[in-house]
């Protein structure tokens, strides 16, 4: 396992400083999209429902409601296309994977805000 | 074909310069010790025998111990013959991952994971029956006909049927070398290689 880490470290370029966030948090991912030669930034805002993997293969899943359809998008944490991540709201949840949100809509799908 | 012996560590993925996510395999390659030099005079052909990874003396036969003693090394777990090295290698020399250049192409041979007794769909890629309705039942993954009737009145040899699958020697050709890390004896190639984690691989240039 540590040999895999050593191998991954050899590929680590300059690391972008991403803010700490966890499941239940509402975040905005600024994602670079290449169209032909042009590059533009798309914002994707939703709730983090899962953080998976470690090292270079770490990913996180962001769920949002688009109209009345649920959309989930998986981002690799080390993707060079992630320009910036804003944490909009800290959620207070009791589990690491919030798949129960998939079966809920509207008021039932709310997450309490974390109080410090 | 020059090369060396390695051990599969596992897989991961890395991002390329263009931002593509590339699957890759991490291999611990070498250092290998020359355990025998075969020449035309003594053996009828030229080859270099390389050994990889130590094993305990108590796990070696006396014949093996004598063989490794001649080369001045400890007993080795895996021994493979290669030839065509650039430099002249002597008994007891070490071959490291340095002989492989980054961005070059290698062939990797290993023993694929054993799958046990499998049907024809998994083992030979048959299509199965293809219909699960219209009165069809319980023949979804069956092989179908295995021949004609009273002539030839037998099943031809070599007909593909169910049986043991996997656990065979498989060679994957032209894998791109993404990175060589000599300090840790690591080799990182693009794509997958046969076998389970920890299994031995033959890396040929």
């Amino acid at each position: 396992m540590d040999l895999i880490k050593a191998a991954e470290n050899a590929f680590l370029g300059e690391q972008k400083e991403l803010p700490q966030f966890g499941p239940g948090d509402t975040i905005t991912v600024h994602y670079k999209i290449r169209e032909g030669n042009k590059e533009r930034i798309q914002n994707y805002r939703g709730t983090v429902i899962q953080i998976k993997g470690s090292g270079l293969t770490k990913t996180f899943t962001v769920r949002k409601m688009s109209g009345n359809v649920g959309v989930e998008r998986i981002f690799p944490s080390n993707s060079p296309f992630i320009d910036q991540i804003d944490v909009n709201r800290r959620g207070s949840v009791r589990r690491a994977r919030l798949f129960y949100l998939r079966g809920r809509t509207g008021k039932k799908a709310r997450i309490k805000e974390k109080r410090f | 074909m020059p090369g060396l012996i390695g051990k599969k560590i596992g897989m991961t993925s890395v991002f390329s310069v263009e931002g593509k996510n590339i699957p890759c395999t991490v291999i611990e390659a070498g250092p290998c010790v020359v355990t025998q030099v075969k020449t035309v005079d003594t053996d009828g052909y030229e080859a270099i025998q390389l050994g990889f990874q130590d094993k305990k003396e108590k796990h070696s036969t006396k014949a093996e111990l004598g063989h490794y003693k001649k080369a001045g090394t400890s007993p080795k777990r895996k021994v493979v013959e290669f030839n065509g090295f650039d430099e002249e290698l002597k008994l007891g020399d070490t071959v490291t991952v340095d002989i492989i250049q980054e961005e070059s192409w290698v062939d990797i041979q290993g023993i694929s994971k054993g799958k046990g007794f499998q049907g024809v769909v998994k083992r030979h890629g048959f299509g199965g029956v293809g219909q699960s309705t219209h009165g069809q039942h319980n023949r979804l993954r069956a092989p179908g006909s295995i021949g004609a009737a009273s002539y030839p009145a037998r099943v031809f040899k070599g007909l593909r049927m169910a049986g043991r699958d996997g656990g065979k020697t498989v060679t994957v050709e032209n894998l791109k070398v993404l990175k060589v890390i000599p300090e840790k004896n690591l080799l990182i190639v693009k794509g997958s290689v046969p076998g389970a984690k920890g299994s031995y691989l033959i890396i040929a240039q």
Side-chain angles (χ1 to χ4, degrees):
Chain A
M1 214 54 215
D2 31 317
L3 282 177
I4 288 193
K5 270 200 194 112
E8 283 179 349
N9 285 336
F11 282 95
L12 276 184
E14 45 180 302
Q15 279 294 75
K16 220 168 272 170
E17 276 289 311
L18 295 179
Q20 290 276 328
F21 59 87
D25 296 354
T26 304
I27 61 170
T28 308
V29 182
H30 301 254
Y31 199 73
K32 284 183 213 159
I33 289 184
R34 198 172 288 162
E35 285 164 335
N37 290 326
K38 270 198 276 179
E39 210 171 66
R40 64 183 183 87
I41 287 175
Q42 192 184 59
N43 294 352
Y44 183 92
R45 183 180 166 147
T47 315
V48 180
I49 61 166
Q50 169 172 241
I51 296 177
K52 196 176 162 183
S54 64
L56 271 183
T57 52
K58 190 174 180 180
T59 61
F60 57 91
T61 309
V62 183
R63 179 180 171 87
K64 75 165 183 183
M65 295 304 288
S66 177
N68 56 355
V69 185
V71 178
E72 282 179 21
R73 198 154 166 198
I74 303 169
F75 295 97
S77 295
N78 290 286
S79 170
F81 290 116
I82 294 180
D83 187 51
Q84 188 193 335
I85 292 177
D86 300 333
V87 181
N88 307 111
R89 192 170 177 269
R90 300 269 180 198
S92 162
V93 287
R94 302 178 86 164
R95 53 210 76 213
R97 312 215 158 161
L98 310 178
F99 298 145
Y100 67 87
L101 286 179
R102 287 174 179 163
R104 296 188 184 185
T105 48
K107 276 190 170 182
K108 282 228 167 80
R110 284 177 302 180
I111 291 173
K112 250 195 249 163
E113 185 149 9
K114 202 182 240 171
R115 293 179 170 265
F116 296 98
Chain B
M1 147 210 91
L4 73 168
I5 312 167
K7 190 174 160 185
K8 180 168 169 180
I9 301 297
M11 290 191 71
T12 180
S13 64
V14 297
F15 286 95
S16 70
V17 187
E18 308 92 65
K20 273 192 178 156
N21 200 350
I22 303 170
C24 60
T25 310
V26 183
I27 299 164
E28 189 183 357
C32 299
V33 182
V34 178
T35 51
Q36 194 181 0
V37 180
K38 296 196 172 178
T39 58
V40 177
D41 298 339
T42 53
D43 306 282
Y45 66 103
E46 299 234 348
I48 301 282
Q49 189 192 68
L50 295 182
F52 177 59
Q53 289 207 323
D54 293 341
K55 67 175 174 183
K56 282 185 177 168
E57 279 191 14
K58 69 173 180 183
H59 293 145
S60 318
T61 63
K62 275 188 180 163
E64 278 176 337
L65 285 177
H67 181 74
Y68 294 115
K69 207 174 162 190
K70 228 188 219 173
T73 63
S74 50
K76 299 293 175 197
R77 276 181 192 275
K78 180 84 181 165
V79 174
V80 179
E81 274 182 17
F82 294 94
N83 54 36
F85 284 96
D86 291 340
E87 52 194 312
E88 195 91 347
L89 289 167
K90 296 189 298 293
L91 215 56
D93 283 359
T94 38
V95 180
T96 61
V97 74
D98 289 324
I99 63 164
I100 294 171
Q101 277 91 42
E102 272 176 32
E103 301 288 304
S104 64
W105 308 85
V106 290
D107 296 346
I108 294 184
Q109 188 178 77
I111 294 173
S112 64
K113 279 184 184 174
K115 309 285 181 202
F117 193 100
Q118 293 295 336
V120 288
V121 174
K122 190 184 180 84
R123 191 169 182 227
H124 299 298
F126 283 19
V129 167
Q131 246 181 2
S132 52
T133 60
H134 288 295
Q136 195 285 126
H137 81 117
N138 77 18
R139 290 282 176 273
L140 207 55
R141 296 172 71 90
S145 167
I146 56 169
S150 50
Y151 182 79
R154 65 192 175 90
V155 173
F156 291 122
K157 268 192 176 174
L159 198 78
R160 292 174 296 167
M161 290 192 184
R164 283 276 183 99
D165 191 19
K168 289 203 178 91
T169 304
V170 177
T171 310
V172 183
E173 290 177 338
N174 293 329
L175 290 167
K176 191 167 198 181
V177 177
L178 293 179
K179 198 146 217 132
V180 177
I181 308 173
E183 309 90 69
K184 300 228 172 202
N185 297 311
L186 287 184
L187 178 72
I188 297 153
V189 295
K190 183 180 171 184
S192 59
V193 303
K197 285 179 201 170
S199 65
Y200 291 109
L201 303 166
I202 301 170
I203 303 147
Q205 272 177 309

